[in-house]
Amino acid sequence: MPRDSRAVSIALGAALALALLTGCTDGTTQPPANAPTGTASADEPAPVTPEGTGSPSTAAPTGSGSPASSGAPSASTATESATDAPVSLSRGDERTIGTPGTTVSISCSGGGDIDIETDGTTIDITGGCEDIDIDGDDNTITGESAEALDVEGDGNTATLTSVPDVDVDGRTNVVTVDDTRDIDVDGEDNTVTYSTGDPAVDTEGSNSVAAR
């Protein structure tokens, strides 16, 4: 080969090698062809949200949001019966009356305790009871016999036949018995009357105890 042609070939080879070396050492790294670019392409479809699964609305509700209620009690619980069913008691039984304004009929068969712990009741008693305790005001008790009557309160009225032991504490109570053996009254303006017997009487305050 002539000397000039060889020199040209060497120069071209050197230039080509320099160009390749410059391209490999360029600091710019090309992203892969399928790498995401972070922005949607103009021809890519926008994501679709399924119906009914969107974000919950933050708008204030237009209704009250509270369950509907009538505000009035039902007919079964609005009022309580003013008259209780008849009650039967035997010795060792106990009946407590705690609802004001009721009327109760009680039958005692050889015993039974009656506790009245309210106001304004009407109690009708038949038979012979053990203890009748009144702890309230303005109650009315009528009946036959009891072993003991204990009244604590004001304005109570008790009318019985035979009550060996009568104890009254309060004001303006009225107790009437046919037969008794012991009367104890403490308070003001109480009245106890009896028909027969010669009871032991113990009274404190301004009260009346007398035979009728």
Side-chain angles (χ1 to χ4, degrees):
M1 176 182 294
R3 186 182 299 273
D4 293 339
S5 298
R6 183 178 296 176
V8 171
S9 298
I10 293 172
L12 290 174
L16 180 61
L18 180 60
L20 292 173
L21 180 62
T22 303
C24 291
T25 57
D26 188 2
T28 304
T29 302
Q30 298 296 324
N34 58 352
T37 61
T39 59
S41 174
D43 56 356
E44 290 182 359
V48 179
T49 302
E51 292 185 5
T53 60
S55 301
S57 173
T58 58
T62 57
S64 62
S66 59
S69 60
S70 63
S74 63
S76 61
T77 59
T79 59
E80 187 172 358
S81 174
T83 303
D84 284 355
V87 177
S88 296
L89 300 178
S90 299
R91 184 164 291 274
D93 295 339
E94 182 175 359
R95 175 72 176 187
T96 300
I97 311 299
T99 304
T102 56
T103 298
V104 184
S105 296
I106 300 177
S107 175
C108 293
S109 178
D113 294 342
I114 302 173
D115 296 332
I116 302 168
E117 300 178 356
T118 186
D119 304 328
T121 62
T122 299
I123 313 297
D124 184 16
I125 303 170
T126 58
C129 304
E130 293 175 77
D131 295 337
I132 300 175
D133 294 335
I134 303 173
D135 187 2
D137 302 332
D138 303 318
N139 298 289
T140 301
I141 295 88
T142 59
E144 298 181 16
S145 64
E147 297 176 7
L149 172 66
D150 186 2
V151 179
E152 293 186 11
D154 301 333
N156 299 288
T157 300
T159 304
L160 301 166
T161 56
S162 177
V163 182
D165 188 3
V166 176
D167 190 348
V168 179
D169 187 358
R171 296 175 57 88
T172 64
N173 296 292
V174 177
V175 176
T176 303
V177 295
D178 289 343
D179 179 57
T180 186
R181 295 197 302 264
D182 188 87
I183 299 174
D184 187 356
V185 184
D186 186 7
E188 299 294 332
D189 300 324
N190 298 294
T191 301
V192 179
T193 59
Y194 59 94
S195 297
T196 62
D198 186 16
V201 177
D202 183 7
T203 180
E204 294 184 11
S206 177
N207 302 292
S208 173
V209 177
R212 58 183 174 90

XYZ file of all heavy atoms in Angstrom, residues 108 123-130 132 141-149 157-166 174-183 192-199 210 212:
350
model
N -105.818 -13.119 105.171
C -104.843 -13.785 106.029
C -105.452 -15.090 106.564
O -106.559 -15.074 107.130
C -104.445 -12.882 107.204
S -103.530 -11.410 106.719
N -106.480 -0.533 102.132
C -106.224 -1.951 102.350
C -107.421 -2.571 103.057
O -107.815 -2.115 104.145
C -104.945 -2.177 103.195
C -103.795 -1.312 102.662
C -104.571 -3.643 103.218
C -103.358 -1.615 101.267
N -107.987 -3.611 102.462
C -109.123 -4.334 103.041
C -108.631 -5.723 103.428
O -108.200 -6.503 102.570
C -110.258 -4.423 102.023
C -111.496 -5.070 102.618
O -111.576 -5.157 103.859
O -112.377 -5.493 101.844
N -108.691 -6.026 104.741
C -108.105 -7.255 105.267
C -109.209 -8.148 105.828
O -110.083 -7.683 106.572
C -107.076 -6.943 106.373
C -105.979 -6.013 105.831
C -106.464 -8.219 106.925
C -105.067 -5.457 106.897
N -109.146 -9.427 105.465
C -110.031 -10.433 106.068
C -109.176 -11.510 106.707
O -108.050 -11.778 106.275
C -110.946 -11.062 105.007
O -110.159 -11.658 103.971
C -111.873 -10.030 104.397
N -109.734 -12.149 107.754
C -108.995 -13.191 108.435
C -108.099 -12.637 109.511
O -108.107 -11.436 109.825
N -107.289 -13.528 110.082
C -106.382 -13.133 111.156
C -104.945 -13.065 110.678
O -104.355 -14.057 110.235
N -104.339 -11.863 110.778
C -102.948 -11.653 110.356
C -102.027 -11.648 111.581
O -102.487 -11.622 112.724
C -102.824 -10.335 109.604
S -103.923 -10.158 108.177
N -100.736 -11.639 111.314
C -99.753 -11.496 112.391
C -99.498 -10.010 112.651
O -100.140 -9.417 113.503
C -98.467 -12.240 112.024
C -98.617 -13.755 111.963
C -97.363 -14.444 111.482
O -96.412 -14.561 112.289
O -97.324 -14.857 110.300
N -99.272 -5.989 111.281
C -99.606 -4.996 110.273
C -98.784 -3.748 110.585
O -98.964 -3.128 111.638
C -101.115 -4.653 110.285
C -101.946 -5.916 109.999
C -101.417 -3.563 109.268
C -103.443 -5.685 110.114
N -106.913 1.474 106.476
C -106.881 0.027 106.666
C -108.132 -0.385 107.422
O -108.432 0.155 108.493
C -105.614 -0.414 107.440
C -104.360 -0.107 106.611
C -105.661 -1.896 107.783
C -103.801 1.269 106.814
N -108.848 -1.330 106.860
C -109.994 -1.917 107.557
C -109.855 -3.428 107.510
O -109.310 -3.988 106.550
C -111.319 -1.506 106.879
O -111.313 -1.934 105.516
C -111.521 -0.010 106.937
N -110.332 -4.096 108.573
C -110.218 -5.545 108.556
C -110.637 -6.183 109.855
O -111.319 -5.569 110.686
N -110.185 -7.431 110.010
C -110.566 -8.216 111.170
C -109.474 -8.153 112.232
O -109.268 -7.095 112.834
C -110.900 -9.643 110.728
C -112.092 -9.682 109.761
C -112.449 -11.082 109.332
O -112.007 -12.054 109.991
O -113.170 -11.228 108.318
N -108.737 -9.226 112.437
C -107.823 -9.245 113.582
C -106.363 -9.311 113.146
O -106.038 -9.710 112.023
C -108.136 -10.456 114.476
O -107.891 -11.658 113.760
N -105.501 -8.882 114.058
C -104.059 -8.980 113.887
C -103.436 -9.100 115.263
O -104.016 -8.661 116.267
C -103.507 -7.762 113.151
N -102.260 -9.710 115.320
C -101.571 -9.833 116.596
C -100.972 -8.508 117.049
O -100.870 -8.234 118.242
C -100.483 -10.904 116.495
C -101.025 -12.300 116.216
C -99.931 -13.337 116.013
O -98.743 -12.982 116.229
O -100.251 -14.474 115.639
N -100.567 -7.664 116.074
C -99.977 -6.370 116.416
C -100.215 -5.385 115.284
O -100.214 -5.751 114.099
C -98.488 -6.510 116.696
N -100.403 -4.113 115.681
C -100.548 -3.010 114.725
C -99.533 -1.940 115.077
O -99.516 -1.440 116.208
C -101.964 -2.436 114.777
C -102.203 -1.151 113.963
C -102.052 -1.418 112.466
C -103.586 -0.559 114.267
N -105.592 5.918 109.000
C -106.795 5.452 109.680
C -106.822 3.928 109.644
O -106.728 3.332 108.555
C -108.072 5.993 109.011
O -108.046 7.426 109.045
C -109.316 5.498 109.730
N -106.941 3.296 110.823
C -107.005 1.838 110.916
C -108.209 1.450 111.767
O -108.352 1.916 112.909
C -105.717 1.288 111.522
N -109.058 0.585 111.201
C -110.234 0.090 111.912
C -110.208 -1.435 111.876
O -110.358 -2.040 110.801
C -111.530 0.603 111.265
O -111.504 2.035 111.218
C -112.738 0.147 112.051
N -110.005 -2.048 113.058
C -109.864 -3.500 113.148
C -110.706 -4.015 114.322
O -111.198 -3.227 115.143
C -108.399 -3.890 113.339
C -107.430 -3.431 112.222
C -105.990 -3.574 112.679
C -107.660 -4.220 110.944
N -110.819 -5.337 114.377
C -111.588 -5.920 115.485
C -110.677 -6.179 116.681
O -110.669 -5.394 117.631
C -112.284 -7.203 115.023
O -111.322 -8.124 114.480
C -113.330 -6.905 113.953
N -109.922 -7.253 116.636
C -109.095 -7.623 117.785
C -107.619 -7.433 117.453
O -107.090 -8.061 116.518
C -109.356 -9.085 118.165
O -108.512 -9.474 119.224
N -106.956 -6.550 118.240
C -105.520 -6.312 118.078
C -104.919 -6.194 119.481
O -105.039 -5.142 120.122
C -105.228 -5.024 117.275
C -103.722 -4.858 117.087
C -105.943 -5.033 115.933
N -104.266 -7.244 119.966
C -103.734 -7.193 121.329
C -102.721 -6.081 121.557
O -102.688 -5.475 122.639
C -103.093 -8.571 121.504
C -103.844 -9.453 120.551
C -104.132 -8.593 119.382
N -101.904 -5.771 120.564
C -100.816 -4.802 120.756
C -100.951 -3.692 119.715
O -100.840 -3.940 118.512
C -99.468 -5.513 120.615
C -98.292 -4.621 120.980
O -98.530 -3.474 121.397
O -97.133 -5.074 120.845
N -101.173 -2.442 120.204
C -101.315 -1.285 119.322
C -100.213 -0.290 119.647
O -100.065 0.141 120.794
C -102.695 -0.601 119.493
C -102.783 0.661 118.643
C -103.819 -1.577 119.126
N -105.698 7.858 113.409
C -106.920 7.420 114.091
C -106.964 5.895 114.040
O -106.998 5.303 112.947
C -108.180 8.018 113.435
C -109.427 7.480 114.131
C -108.136 9.543 113.484
N -106.984 5.262 115.201
C -107.025 3.805 115.311
C -108.247 3.420 116.136
O -108.428 3.918 117.260
C -105.738 3.250 115.952
C -105.848 1.741 116.141
C -104.518 3.595 115.088
N -109.055 2.533 115.585
C -110.237 2.048 116.285
C -110.198 0.523 116.312
O -110.097 -0.114 115.247
C -111.523 2.507 115.582
O -111.528 3.933 115.501
C -112.747 2.045 116.362
N -110.261 -0.057 117.528
C -110.245 -1.512 117.675
C -111.369 -1.918 118.632
O -111.781 -1.137 119.498
C -108.883 -2.015 118.196
C -107.788 -1.731 117.174
C -108.541 -1.378 119.539
N -111.823 -3.154 118.450
C -112.840 -3.666 119.381
C -112.194 -4.139 120.681
O -112.682 -3.836 121.772
C -113.629 -4.807 118.741
C -114.562 -4.315 117.650
O -114.824 -3.091 117.620
O -115.000 -5.135 116.830
N -111.100 -4.854 120.558
C -110.477 -5.444 121.743
C -108.969 -5.304 121.655
O -108.365 -5.547 120.595
C -110.864 -6.923 121.847
C -110.226 -7.598 123.038
O -110.431 -7.119 124.160
O -109.492 -8.592 122.824
N -108.338 -4.905 122.766
C -106.887 -4.757 122.817
C -106.405 -4.931 124.248
O -107.186 -4.791 125.212
C -106.443 -3.392 122.256
O -105.014 -3.357 122.205
C -106.958 -2.251 123.117
N -105.080 -5.188 124.386
C -104.510 -5.346 125.723
C -103.419 -4.335 126.023
O -103.129 -4.069 127.181
C -103.941 -6.762 125.885
C -104.972 -7.870 125.845
C -104.407 -9.162 126.413
N -103.211 -9.619 125.698
C -103.254 -10.518 124.714
N -104.418 -11.031 124.327
N -102.153 -10.898 124.122
N -102.811 -3.773 124.996
C -101.701 -2.847 125.222
C -101.738 -1.743 124.165
O -101.788 -2.032 122.956
C -100.361 -3.590 125.166
C -99.206 -2.700 125.577
O -98.916 -2.623 126.774
O -98.590 -2.090 124.669
N -101.698 -0.475 124.623
C -101.727 0.676 123.710
C -100.554 1.587 124.057
O -100.403 2.025 125.202
C -103.051 1.461 123.835
C -104.240 0.562 123.468
C -103.025 2.694 122.943
C -105.583 1.224 123.698
N -106.872 6.951 119.689
C -107.037 5.508 119.754
C -108.256 5.215 120.625
O -108.321 5.667 121.780
C -105.790 4.817 120.332
C -106.011 3.308 120.415
C -104.555 5.126 119.471
N -109.193 4.465 120.070
C -110.380 4.081 120.844
C -110.533 2.567 120.801
O -110.160 1.922 119.810
C -111.642 4.760 120.294
O -111.812 4.391 118.923
C -111.540 6.271 120.400
N -111.110 2.012 121.872
C -111.325 0.566 121.954
C -112.687 0.328 122.602
O -113.236 1.192 123.302
C -110.203 -0.102 122.750
C -110.049 0.403 124.155
C -110.689 -0.236 125.227
C -109.277 1.531 124.434
C -110.567 0.246 126.516
C -109.150 2.006 125.714
C -109.796 1.361 126.767
O -109.683 1.843 128.050
N -113.220 -0.865 122.384
C -114.559 -1.173 122.903
C -114.512 -1.968 124.203
O -115.242 -1.660 125.162
C -115.365 -1.961 121.854
O -115.567 -1.185 120.707
N -113.709 -2.994 124.228
C -113.671 -3.861 125.400
C -112.251 -4.067 125.867
O -111.288 -3.803 125.134
C -114.299 -5.233 125.080
O -113.541 -5.873 124.035
C -115.750 -5.088 124.642
N -112.137 -4.569 127.086
C -110.824 -4.836 127.646
C -110.388 -3.719 128.570
O -110.993 -2.637 128.636
N -109.308 -4.002 129.256
C -108.720 -3.018 130.162
C -107.235 -2.904 129.823
O -106.362 -3.394 130.530
C -108.910 -3.466 131.613
C -108.455 -2.412 132.609
O -108.287 -1.247 132.188
O -108.242 -2.766 133.779
N -106.936 -2.248 128.703
C -105.559 -2.254 128.214
C -104.628 -1.395 129.061
O -105.044 -0.412 129.684
C -105.700 -1.676 126.805
C -106.898 -0.796 126.877
C -107.835 -1.471 127.824
N -109.100 6.295 124.593
C -110.324 6.188 125.391
C -111.136 4.997 124.918
O -111.005 4.516 123.786
C -111.152 7.463 125.293
N -114.822 3.405 123.979
C -116.006 3.961 123.309
C -117.226 3.106 123.640
O -117.124 1.989 124.071
C -115.790 4.032 121.812
C -115.470 2.689 121.132
C -115.216 2.923 119.640
N -114.764 1.693 118.988
C -115.585 0.781 118.436
N -116.903 0.967 118.511
N -115.096 -0.290 117.848
